[in-house]
Amino acid sequence: QVQLVESGGGLVQPGGSLRLSCVASRFILDYYTIGWFRQAPGKEREGVSCIRGSNKIYVDSVKGRFTISRDNAKNTVYLQMNNLKPDDTAVYYCAAAQYILSGLNASRYTYWGQGTQVTVSS
């Protein structure tokens, strides 16, 4: 069963931008929180941002640089990433959580995509 599919990762220089996409079923988009998480080599999985309705949450390290948004007509949630830094290098995952209080707690998310690699390097 494929519920979430990420795309848009790649190699970018420091200061550059990428836009990640997460395609989900309409049921998931309508009734679940959609979150973005990332995992860098040797580090724990980290919550980056999430969206439910018009409510959005960002981890402090990406505030002012990343923007989460949704296009219901395309069944897609986006993560626009600007002013990328080497520390942003990670595999990025989209995920879906049933509960409104899920926030950036990965343990609350029950559906996960396969991930897309983001590499920020000169």
Side-chain angles (χ1 to χ4, degrees), residues 1-7 20-36 51 68-79 93-97 109-114:
Q1 179 178 323
V2 179
Q3 295 281 334
L4 307 167
V5 179
E6 307 98 330
S7 63
L20 305 183
S21 299
C22 175
V23 178
S25 72
R26 189 53 180 262
F27 177 84
I28 292 295
L29 287 176
D30 285 349
Y31 294 100
Y32 284 66
T33 303
I34 305 298
W36 285 99
I51 184 169
I68 192 168
S69 63
R70 179 175 56 233
D71 185 340
N72 288 337
K74 298 181 178 179
N75 286 354
T76 302
V77 170
Y78 299 101
L79 185 68
Y93 301 88
C94 62
Y109 288 75
T110 55
Y111 297 94
W112 292 82
Q114 293 299 305

Side-chain angles (χ1 to χ4, degrees), residues 65-97:
R65 299 190 297 123
F66 291 10
T67 303
I68 192 168
S69 63
R70 179 175 56 233
D71 185 340
N72 288 337
K74 298 181 178 179
N75 286 354
T76 302
V77 170
Y78 299 101
L79 185 68
Q80 178 68 46
M81 306 186 296
N82 297 326
N83 192 23
L84 283 161
K85 305 178 184 299
D87 284 349
D88 296 317
T89 296
V91 177
Y92 283 70
Y93 301 88
C94 62

Side-chain angles (χ1 to χ4, degrees), residues 29 44 102:
L29 287 176
E44 297 290 325
S102 298

